[in-house]
Amino acid sequence: MTDRMTSDLLRTSELAKASDPGGFWLSASYLLWPNSKINPTARGRQSPAERRAQIAAWRTSEGALRRLGVPCAYCGREACEWFGKVDIPLGASVTYRNTTVPGHQGTALCYPCVSCLWAFPYGAVLSGGRAMAIHSWDDDFLARVTRSAVQQTLERAIAVTSVKGAKKIPYARELAVLSAVREYGHQRRRITAPVELFVLSNSNKEQLLVTQEMSQPIAEWLRSTVRHANRKQGYAALTATQATKQVPGEAYLAKRAFARPAQVLNAAVANLLTRAAASQGAVPPEVASLHAIVHSYCIEVLTMDEKDVERITLLAGRLAALLGQDSRPGPFRDFVRANSSGGNLYGWFRSRAVEWQLFPRPEGTEPVLLPVRDYRLLFEDERSWSWRRLLTFAVLEALARNGWKPKGSNEELRELQDELSDSADSDNDEN
């Protein structure tokens, strides 16, 4: 393997610059091994033969026979040499500069460990002046994504020219992780560990290491959206709710999966409210296709108890029965306002509880509009805002299932539209 890696670098000796056809590894060297034998300052004055000699000397395997008498910093075996920036990609945050200070010999490594470091770019994706790598302590998942990355690297390395001018996708690296996780959905094995995203630069222009972690429950849930039929059908609808004018839905879903998982639910509800506003309060029909995937997300990712999710669904059914007694937009508008950020949902429930007692109720429903346990979820649980967003979603779903559509004067419908839009904006502000 080390011979293959050395031969790949030797092919750069004929190139004048990294942008020449086949210059992938020369370009990569400026990112990962600045000032190494492949790209010295005097490279332009060297002949191809001189370049080959220096690269071969740098990557020689003769050092494997050396013994320093000190342990390898990585594995504890006896080290063969002291190594520095030209062999070791940045492995700490920018606070710790990846340089060897004057008088310091460097990092002691054995030949197998330094060879693994040389192999790092084969398992990474190099683009935009940075390297991206996916890691997980789930060995089977890691093996599969690494094989895919190696194949992609080899294909790019043998390409005649690199593709330039392609439109950049926001959060492309996070999206690549999401795609890798969902691709793993075709396997029978679960993802059993978090999935990490490393983005680094070891160049002289920029030293950077940024790490993000996708939790194991999110990774496994994303995998399940490929394997479970009802989630697979709802996935497209869910990603559509995550989109903005600037960011495609799946890319934003990927970003939120890393940074703020609860915002996936917020964004979905905000999108439904926005679409309802655009149609004068009519609930979007796609809400039905979101039921299974939203509920699974709440239970498996946001760790809501399944029985409590069912309680919120039943509460939403009671509210839909109350709001749908006639087609007036006012009651629905008042609920949306009360359940928005800054709204007085408790006061709204207190007044509507009286109506629930005074007016005929659907047969088989509870006599109490808001039982104590439901109250605690909406007002005392640490995830109260998520429970309230789920309640809004469930009410929209129940109203759509009952065939309810608001009817009223133009002024009443405009007021409903404004309230739905304001509530959606409030949810998006939480993003």
Side-chain angles (χ1 to χ4, degrees), residues 120 123-125 131-135 177 196-199:
F120 167 77
V125 177
M132 177 201 113
I134 301 174
H135 179 263
V177 178
E196 298 170 284
L197 169 62
F198 297 153
V199 178

Side-chain angles (χ1 to χ4, degrees), residues 211-230:
T211 63
Q212 298 185 71
E213 182 179 279
M214 178 186 290
S215 70
Q216 183 274 334
I218 300 177
E220 175 56 25
W221 178 83
L222 285 169
R223 187 192 76 93
S224 75
T225 61
V226 174
R227 293 196 62 81
H228 295 187
N230 56 354

